[in-house]
Amino acid sequence: MKFQRVLVVAIAGAVLTLGGCTGGGGDQAGPLPPVEIPTLTPESQPFRTGTAFADGVFSVDVPTPDGRTRTLDTVRHLEGSWARFLPRPVQPDHSSREWLLAENHYDGGILLYGVVSWNVADPTDYLAAGWWLTYPPDVPFWEFESATRGVFLDGPELDPARPPDLPLTGTASYAGSMGGLYTYSYGRAWDELAGSTEITEFTGPVSLTADFDRNRLTGCLGCLEPIEIAPGQHLYPIVSWRDPDPASSPADYDLHFAASFDATGAFEDTAVTVTHPDRTIVSSAGTWRGQFSNVPDADGNPRRVVGSTDVLFAEDDGSHGRFTGIFDALTPRTIAPPDR
């Protein structure tokens, strides 16, 4: 199955500097100092904001650090637009396009990426996803670490004023993708890399199961297929596809999630664990939050689950990593068959 692309902006992990003592010649080597395990502090990733898509024009409300809102759209703020690089939409009779928007304002700049998938027969039926960076005045766009970051997922089917009519019993399965930023800080076992940090984009398949009897949602990133490195797919203004792949691949990590959802189909929880077949993970922590669609599939289940997550983990040699992203998953009855 080809999974639909999603976008994210993430927060890079801090560099952890570790050192060790080694002996040489005939001297007796002293004991290595104990490995420092970092404190893991995940950050909840809000994803709600106002968007509009009408007559082919897409707009996004961007909250700024001073409490105001600036609205960017694809007419006044267009830097670039593409459709040929996107995979085929997974929903029948849908089209998609991505945009890069920028605003050079007296109070500071904004850089924004957005991708929209919409129903050709009803363009008001759309889903938008993306990220933004809001900069202080006189800070150039390439100094993204000085910017305030945000992600968004929005569309009429996620309107909190029109919550879904959730089933009272039964289960539903969802499959889709998660994308975002992967950060890895190297510990003692990585020799000359110890103390350094590498950052790249990731993408991977996410599978979710909703238990409507228990109001419980569980899922996993990386359990269906390995997580992949995908530099430059979405964050190309700040993460280049020319950058070398990190020495520590995200491919063998699995991220497991669990949460209870309320009557409106919303959920937020910290029940997150990380596993790896070859590395000893001594601690993990995370947050994930999301929303069920208010549009049912052919079986009467919400056709979609979306959300955002921030997951951190630490390993026994002092290495630690981070996955920050957003996800979009659909029921099988919503996804086009492979031969369509």
Side-chain angles (χ1 to χ4, degrees), residues 79-332:
E79 290 287 313
S81 179
W82 304 269
R84 64 185 183 275
F85 301 118
L86 290 170
R88 183 182 66 164
V90 297
Q91 290 178 266
D93 304 318
H94 277 62
S95 291
S96 62
R97 178 166 287 275
E98 56 187 344
W99 292 271
L100 185 65
L101 310 180
E103 183 184 56
N104 183 29
H105 194 274
Y106 176 83
D107 293 331
I110 296 176
L111 184 64
L112 183 145
Y113 169 92
V115 58
V116 178
S117 175
W118 68 92
N119 188 334
V120 175
D122 179 15
T124 63
D125 175 15
Y126 73 90
L127 179 73
W131 56 267
W132 63 68
L133 302 173
T134 59
Y135 294 80
D138 300 321
V139 174
F141 282 128
W142 57 83
E143 294 184 8
F144 66 92
E145 292 190 6
S146 300
T148 300
R149 308 163 194 183
V151 297
F152 64 90
L153 285 157
D154 187 57
E157 64 185 295
L158 305 177
D159 185 354
R162 296 189 296 115
D165 185 12
L166 297 177
L168 299 179
T169 60
T171 62
S173 298
Y174 297 83
S177 65
M178 181 183 293
L181 201 63
Y182 166 69
T183 305
Y184 193 87
S185 297
Y186 294 93
R188 177 183 291 163
W190 290 89
D191 298 327
E192 68 275 5
L193 287 175
S196 65
T197 297
E198 292 187 300
I199 301 173
T200 190
E201 285 186 83
F202 77 89
T203 184
V206 62
S207 55
L208 303 169
T209 300
D211 183 338
F212 296 109
D213 293 278
R214 300 171 56 218
N215 291 341
R216 193 72 174 162
L217 182 68
T218 57
C220 179
L221 169 67
C223 291
L224 294 178
E225 296 177 19
I227 302 170
E228 297 180 350
I229 295 170
Q233 280 200 2
H234 305 104
L235 301 177
Y236 41 80
I238 57 176
V239 180
S240 173
W241 57 270
R242 298 182 179 88
D243 294 337
D245 291 345
S248 174
S249 170
D252 291 325
Y253 290 101
D254 291 342
L255 281 60
H256 300 266
F257 308 93
S260 297
F261 52 85
D262 62 23
T264 69
F267 57 90
E268 183 171 4
D269 212 316
T270 58
V272 179
T273 58
V274 181
T275 61
H276 192 284
D278 302 317
R279 300 175 185 169
T280 302
I281 296 176
V282 295
S283 62
S284 59
T287 66
W288 74 305
R289 60 192 300 175
Q291 175 69 50
F292 282 92
S293 166
N294 60 24
V295 179
D297 68 4
D299 295 324
N301 297 312
R303 70 177 183 180
R304 163 176 271 132
V305 182
V306 306
S308 59
T309 187
D310 186 33
V311 178
L312 298 90
F313 61 91
E315 297 168 353
D316 60 349
D317 72 328
S319 298
H320 55 104
R322 191 170 197 166
F323 291 90
T324 309
I326 57 176
F327 61 89
D328 174 26
L330 297 161
T331 63

Side-chain angles (χ1 to χ4, degrees), residues 23-24 26-30:
D27 296 334
Q28 180 69 34

